[in-house]
Amino acid sequence: MAFIPKNMLTLPSETCNEAHSTIVINQKKCSVMKIDEIIQDLERKHPNEPEYIQAVTEVLHSVEEVYYQHPEFEKAKIIERMVEPDRILTFRVTWVDDKGEVQTNLGYRVQYNNAIGPYKGGLRFHASVNLSILKFLGFEQTFKNALTSLPMGGGKGGSDFSPRGKSQNEIMRFCQAYMTELWHNLGPDTDVPAGDIGVGGREVGYLMGMYKKLTRECTGVMTGKGLDFGGSLIRPEATGYGGLYFVNQMLATRGLDISGKTVAISGFGNVAWGAALKATELGAKVVTISGPDGYVYDPDGISGEKIDYMLELRDSGDDIVEPYAEKYPSATFYPGRRPWEQKVDICLCCATQNELDGEDAQHIIDNGVICVGEISNMGCTPEAIELFIEHKMLYAPGKAVNAGGVATSGLEMSQNACHISWSAAEVDKKLQYIMYSIHEQCVKYGRQPDGYINYVKGANISGFMKVANAMLAQGIY
Ligand code: 2IT
């Protein structure tokens, strides 16, 4: 039977534009209109923010059914409130480069939603950064953080500053200038940034140093810190490790295991590194990594010292993977191409948003790939996701698969608040449990009548329910 939204039973008939012959059709039409109207309204207000609209559209379409089963959500205008960030801070970041020239970049922090806990989410330093990207990331982060079940709200920030080709001193001066503006909006119980693309341990160190200089406080105001000053063991590896724990859970739903499988990974940064380490440890063979210049295919497997070499590549600051193929003759470099054309068992997006499109998805399906996991945020385009779901593939979205990174940031916050540090084994055990629990939530809300697990639905509904309930309980303000 067609789904009948409960609250529609009380909706006045004039909210529907057309008369329909049956109440069921009439009610269904109304519910679809409502979500679409919210999206259209958002598009009108933010016409130049495609990534943001993409992220919101995916979530709202996923949660539509449950939303209308809860008239109290509609009454409190939960969705209308949820699709706008609590506040957006934008500021000028001026610094002096090594030649003595004055440089100015744009700085941002999107404090998206703190219904569940302090704003929490990374900083991205990359030339492509704009408000559309940071709003989509903040929106996604809010639901992802809810999925971890730790008390963290959602936020995201960054700058159009690109560390590519910059000296260590230039990066330090930029980080100091950025923090000089942002610090008074942060706090361990207010807003806790971390890393993202272009922000790793080095940048977090410089940002933290300036925060301390300005506040004279040593609190857990940032995560991803060095181990010598409050960082957590396993945090650098956590996004990749968590992703692989999740993927193994996905495979288990079909009686499979990652051991012996071939894996295509995109990217070569922190996330790709952690994913390659854990995939290899679990007995899989990683055969690709990629950069903005193309990808390398290494049929011998990217393991051991080759994984360590990824860190060297990253530290070089050039943002290219071609040197890998020069160093390891077993590998071939494919300029300007994506790894998704290779015939493998598992594909893991570990680079950036919309890095796998409909055409790539078709290759993946034709190649008989078993599982696609997004470890990057919104790695797949809507066309790709539609194809995966249509073909009943094992596919799960970033807000579930990559939640291990921010979850371990949450564990870093707990350790800082208690002035203790846990062993690697303790952190890893908690991380595994969190990923297992996120997978359970996805299955609970995403299992379809035919048994197929729609992880997009599962993750979106579960995250949405938590944020919506938290907002509802705290009233209208
Ligand atoms: O996208 C993400 O979840 C991150 N960049 C990590 C955020 C965090 O606060 O650790």
Side-chain angles (χ1 to χ4, degrees):
M1 201 189 97
F3 168 75
I4 306 172
K6 274 190 207 151
N7 66 325
M8 286 303 144
L9 301 174
T10 56
L11 258 189
S13 59
E14 54 277 17
T15 54
C16 293
N17 294 334
E18 307 161 45
H20 293 284
S21 52
T22 73
I23 291 165
V24 172
I25 294 171
N26 198 358
Q27 287 163 348
K28 186 128 199 262
K29 191 98 181 169
C30 285
S31 72
V32 171
M33 284 285 296
K34 192 69 176 44
I35 290 285
D36 285 348
E37 272 169 21
I38 294 172
I39 295 168
Q40 279 162 17
D41 190 45
L42 216 55
E43 279 172 330
R44 261 195 305 277
K45 279 193 222 156
H46 309 292
N48 302 314
E49 299 186 353
E51 293 87 357
Y52 177 52
I53 301 295
Q54 180 185 336
V56 170
T57 303
E58 181 203 287
V59 170
L60 295 196
H61 282 150
S62 291
V63 304
E64 189 172 6
E65 285 187 13
V66 288
Y67 185 63
Y68 286 113
Q69 284 164 355
H70 292 271
E72 69 277 19
F73 290 163
E74 203 193 2
K75 192 153 177 266
K77 296 277 191 288
I78 291 290
I79 284 190
E80 287 87 336
R81 290 158 60 198
M82 209 182 246
V83 297
E84 289 295 345
D86 289 353
R87 72 191 61 77
I88 299 174
L89 311 161
T90 65
F91 46 93
R92 170 175 59 77
V93 185
T94 295
W95 55 285
V96 181
D97 71 17
D98 286 348
K99 293 192 215 95
E101 278 183 35
V102 177
Q103 301 286 345
T104 292
N105 287 99
L106 303 171
Y108 308 92
R109 183 73 180 162
V110 178
Q111 296 186 329
Y112 206 100
N113 186 303
N114 68 354
I116 291 184
Y119 303 109
K120 180 82 197 88
L123 300 175
R124 179 175 291 192
F125 291 169
H126 192 267
S128 65
V129 163
N130 57 35
L131 263 188
S132 174
I133 289 179
L134 294 181
K135 281 171 68 181
F136 116 65
L137 288 166
F139 181 78
E140 291 277 299
Q141 196 82 46
T142 301
F143 301 104
K144 182 199 309 192
N145 294 3
L147 283 172
T148 68
S149 298
L150 298 175
M152 300 183 290
K156 204 83 192 190
S159 171
D160 63 352
F161 169 83
S162 171
R164 186 177 183 168
K166 303 290 192 303
S167 73
Q168 183 105 340
N169 277 333
E170 287 175 324
I171 290 171
M172 181 176 76
R173 285 197 294 275
F174 173 80
C175 289
Q176 291 174 339
Y178 179 91
M179 187 52 91
T180 304
E181 186 61 37
L182 188 62
W183 69 275
H184 54 275
N185 297 291
L186 306 179
D189 297 313
T190 307
D191 186 349
V192 184
D196 193 80
I197 293 170
V199 179
R202 176 181 58 184
E203 290 75 17
V204 169
Y206 294 147
L207 290 159
M208 191 67 207
M210 185 46 93
Y211 182 84
K212 280 186 192 169
K213 175 82 182 162
L214 293 163
T215 60
R216 306 190 181 187
E217 280 177 7
C218 296
T219 59
V221 76
M222 291 210 59
T223 60
K225 298 183 291 295
L227 286 179
D228 299 326
F229 53 99
S232 173
L233 285 161
I234 306 289
R235 176 63 191 91
E237 295 88 347
T239 312
Y241 276 25
L244 268 295
Y245 295 146
F246 193 95
V247 163
N248 230 0
Q249 290 287 324
M250 292 171 77
L251 292 170
T253 65
R254 298 201 179 171
L256 301 168
D257 183 88
I258 196 165
S259 173
K261 304 283 185 299
T262 50
V263 182
I265 284 182
S266 62
F268 69 107
N270 174 261
V271 174
W273 168 76
L277 277 177
K278 187 52 79 177
T280 309
E281 190 192 310
L282 295 175
K285 182 156 85 166
V286 176
V287 290
T288 69
I289 52 171
S290 72
D293 55 333
Y295 78 93
V296 291
Y297 175 67
D298 186 346
D300 285 0
I302 301 170
S303 60
E305 67 155 72
K306 294 172 174 174
I307 299 180
D308 299 340
Y309 180 64
M310 285 165 72
L311 298 177
E312 268 181 58
L313 271 181
R314 173 59 54 194
D315 283 349
S316 77
D318 289 337
D319 210 14
I320 50 171
V321 289
E322 188 174 3
Y324 180 102
E326 286 156 17
K327 190 171 164 68
Y328 299 106
S330 54
T332 310
F333 175 62
Y334 293 89
R337 308 247 295 262
R338 292 168 168 178
W340 317 129
E341 60 191 17
Q342 288 294 336
K343 196 168 168 53
V344 291
D345 299 316
I346 295 166
C347 289
L348 301 176
C349 310
C350 297
T352 192
Q353 69 273 356
N354 292 328
E355 53 165 316
L356 192 161
D357 63 17
E359 211 176 304
D360 297 318
Q362 196 55 58
H363 281 137
I364 285 173
I365 291 161
D366 294 344
N367 280 338
V369 170
I370 309 165
C371 174
V372 178
E374 264 183 23
I375 315 190
S376 50
N377 289 307
M378 206 167 76
C380 299
T381 65
E383 296 74 30
I385 297 173
E386 209 180 309
L387 274 171
F388 291 146
I389 292 176
E390 194 184 307
H391 285 79
K392 309 257 178 225
M393 273 195 63
L394 276 180
Y395 158 76
K399 62 172 79 66
V401 188
N402 75 32
V406 74
T408 309
S409 278
L411 300 177
E412 183 172 330
M413 288 166 72
S414 303
Q415 293 169 79
N416 292 163
C418 301
H419 304 281
I420 51 168
S421 51
W422 292 325
S423 68
E426 275 175 290
V427 178
D428 196 28
K429 196 169 151 206
K430 291 184 193 338
L431 170 63
Q432 285 186 49
Y433 174 76
I434 290 169
M435 297 315 295
Y436 177 79
S437 138
I438 295 173
H439 186 269
E440 289 279 284
Q441 295 170 56
C442 290
V443 173
K444 177 176 169 196
Y445 289 102
R447 195 183 283 284
Q448 305 297 288
D450 65 357
Y452 175 66
I453 301 161
N454 183 331
Y455 285 89
V456 177
K457 242 185 168 171
N460 285 338
I461 294 175
S462 176
F464 169 81
M465 289 300 288
K466 290 182 181 201
V467 180
N469 282 326
M471 287 174 72
L472 200 64
Q474 291 169 71
I476 316 286
Y477 58 89

